[in-house]
Amino acid sequence: MQTIGVLTSGGDSPGMNAAIRAVVRSGIFKGCRVMGVKRGYDGLINGQLEEMNLSSVADIIHRGGTMLRTARSEEFITEEGRQKALNVLKVFNVDGMVVIGGDGSFRGAQKLSELGIPTIGVPGTIDNDLEYTDYTIGFDTAVNTVVDAISKIRDTSTSHGRANIIEVMGRHCGDIALYAGLAGGAESIIIPEVGLDMEQVCRKLIKGRNRGKLHSLIILAEGVGGAIELGKEIEEKTGMETRATILGHLQRGGSPTAFDRILASKMGATAVELLLENKGNQVVGVKGNKTFSMDIEEALSLKKQLHEDIYKLTDILSI
Ligand code: ADP
C-alpha cells in the first residue's frame, strides 16, 4: 500500500473534516502518499484528485461540512461509471481507498473493493442509522444542536404556555429525536420505530397542563410525518395553542463536538491501519469506546434496532 485515496460521499456530517485529517496525517505518518478526491464518487469518475500534504488538512478539525465536498453520483451506480472511476484510480496509482459516508456510500465502497481496490468505509452521518456501530460521526454534534434548539424553544414555550413540536432529522431512524429528547427533557418523543400514538401524546399534554406545567415539548422524527400537520391536529384535539419548528439542515452543520472529533480521528486512523494490513471491503465502527472493523455486507445486513432503554427512560422521566 503506497497511495491511499480519501473521499466523502452522500449526506455530509460534522466531523467529516476531522476524519479526513486523520486519514491524511496518519497515512503520511506511515509513509504513504494520500490523494484527496473532490465531490465523492463523481469526482472519482471525473479525475478530481489532488495530493494532500500535512498542511492541506491544517485548521479543519473544528470545521463542519467537508473540505473535499460531497455529492450523490448516479453515474457511479452504473457499471460504466465505476469502470471510469477504476481507470482514474489506476492513472493516479491509488492502491486503496477510504470512503467517509453513510450506507449508500458503503455500497459504493463495496463495489470498489470488488473491482480490486481495497476500500474501507468510515461512518459519517448524523442519522446514527447503522446498527453495527454504537455511533456514527456527526450524530453527537447533531444531538447537541437539537438540544440547544430545544432549550431556546423551551423558553418561549414557557412564556406563552404553549405546546411546541420540534421536527428533527434522522430519515427512518429515530436516534436523533430519542437522544435529544432525553437530553432536552421532552414530554413526548415520536419516532418511526414506535410510530405515533396520538391519544398518548394528547393525554400527556393535558395531564401536564392540569398539574400546572407551563411548557410542553414534543420531539418528532422526520420519518414519522410533518410537524405542522401534527401541530394542527394536537391543537384541535387538546385546545392547547401549539407551534411547530422544523430544524432542517442546521442539524447537518456546525463545529463538531469533541466527541465527534475524537471519534472521527480514531476511525480515520483505524481505516489507514486496515489498508496497511492489506484489508479491504470493511467498515470501521465503535463499540464500548473501541474501534473495530467488519465486513461491509455483514455490517449493512444488520437491521437498526430501537434503543429501547432510552425510549422507556424518556417516558418515565416525562411523567
Ligand atoms: P449516504 O452515503 O449518505 O447514505 P447515498 O445513499 O446518497 O448517501 O449514497 C451516496 C452515493 O453512494 C450515491 O450517490 C452513489 O454514488 C453511491 N452508491 C449508493 N448506492 C450504491 C450502489 N448500490 N452501488 C454503487 N454506488 C452506490
Side-chain angles (χ1 to χ4, degrees):
M1 185 69 52
Q2 283 159 348
T3 301
I4 293 172
V6 57
L7 62 80
T8 50
S9 161
D12 66 340
S13 71
M16 277 184 161
N17 277 328
I20 296 167
R21 174 178 176 270
V23 171
V24 172
R25 292 254 167 105
S26 63
I28 292 172
F29 175 77
K30 304 261 182 187
C32 300
R33 193 168 74 113
V34 185
M35 304 294 292
V37 183
K38 289 270 166 75
R39 297 189 59 258
Y41 295 119
D42 251 359
L44 200 54
I45 291 169
N46 299 320
Q48 289 177 268
L49 281 78
E50 240 171 59
E51 185 166 350
M52 315 272 285
N53 57 38
L54 296 174
S55 323
S56 331
V57 289
D59 207 26
I60 64 164
I61 194 166
H62 61 300
R63 292 187 202 280
T66 160
M67 63 153 329
L68 290 175
R69 306 198 45 220
T70 184
R72 293 198 156 92
S73 172
E74 289 297 321
E75 202 178 351
F76 192 77
I77 298 177
T78 68
E79 218 164 302
E80 302 80 67
R82 290 198 294 273
Q83 205 55 51
K84 279 192 208 166
L86 181 65
N87 292 341
V88 168
L89 288 169
K90 292 261 151 74
V91 168
F92 284 91
N93 293 313
V94 176
D95 306 295
M97 283 292 301
V98 177
V99 168
I100 305 163
D103 57 344
S105 303
F106 286 177
R107 286 284 169 213
Q110 201 174 19
K111 290 285 189 326
L112 275 180
S113 297
E114 280 167 18
L115 288 171
I117 304 289
T119 302
I120 306 293
V122 170
T125 164
I126 62 165
D127 299 339
N128 211 39
D129 57 350
L130 299 165
E131 177 63 19
Y132 81 92
T133 181
D134 282 349
Y135 295 108
T136 57
I137 298 165
F139 171 67
D140 185 66
T141 306
V143 167
N144 276 283
T145 301
V146 175
V147 170
D148 188 42
I150 291 175
S151 306
K152 289 175 175 154
I153 291 170
R154 179 189 282 272
D155 290 345
T156 166
S157 183
T158 308
S159 304
H160 289 269
R162 284 178 183 143
N164 274 269
I165 304 178
I166 302 163
E167 183 184 316
V168 304
M169 281 184 161
R171 295 192 296 175
H172 304 296
C173 179
D175 277 17
I176 294 178
L178 202 53
Y179 281 73
L182 177 60
E187 271 65 44
S188 291
I189 297 172
I190 308 166
I191 53 175
E193 293 87 337
V194 180
L196 168 63
D197 183 342
M198 195 63 168
E199 295 301 307
Q200 197 194 18
V201 172
C202 292
R203 215 180 308 127
K204 257 193 167 165
L205 282 181
I206 292 165
K207 213 172 125 187
R209 182 181 55 188
N210 291 346
R211 76 171 171 87
K213 249 186 164 178
L214 290 175
H215 56 257
S216 290
L217 299 165
I218 300 159
I219 313 300
L220 172 71
E222 64 179 353
V224 183
I228 294 167
E229 298 74 29
L230 184 67
K232 281 187 191 145
E233 225 180 310
I234 288 177
E235 202 165 87
E236 274 166 27
K237 286 204 157 72
T238 62
M240 277 178 82
E241 205 183 346
T242 308
R243 292 284 187 272
T245 307
I246 301 165
L247 294 183
H249 278 80
L250 70 86
Q251 296 161 91
R252 289 254 288 262
S255 180
T257 57
F259 181 92
D260 273 331
R261 296 181 201 189
I262 293 164
L263 183 67
S265 300
K266 282 162 71 170
M267 285 182 162
T270 303
V272 170
E273 275 166 28
L274 287 164
L275 286 177
L276 292 176
E277 289 163 17
N278 288 319
K279 289 188 181 142
N281 204 27
Q282 303 264 305
V283 282
V284 179
V286 66
K287 281 258 180 234
N289 214 20
K290 289 239 174 313
T291 56
F292 69 97
S293 69
M294 191 188 249
D295 177 78
I296 298 181
E297 188 59 48
E298 196 185 342
L300 291 183
S301 70
L302 301 173
K303 194 178 171 320
K304 177 71 184 172
Q305 302 293 319
L306 165 68
H307 294 189
E308 217 154 321
D309 50 341
I310 306 276
Y311 187 75
K312 282 188 181 146
L313 182 60
T314 313
D315 207 31
I316 292 168
L317 300 183
S318 63
I319 45 169

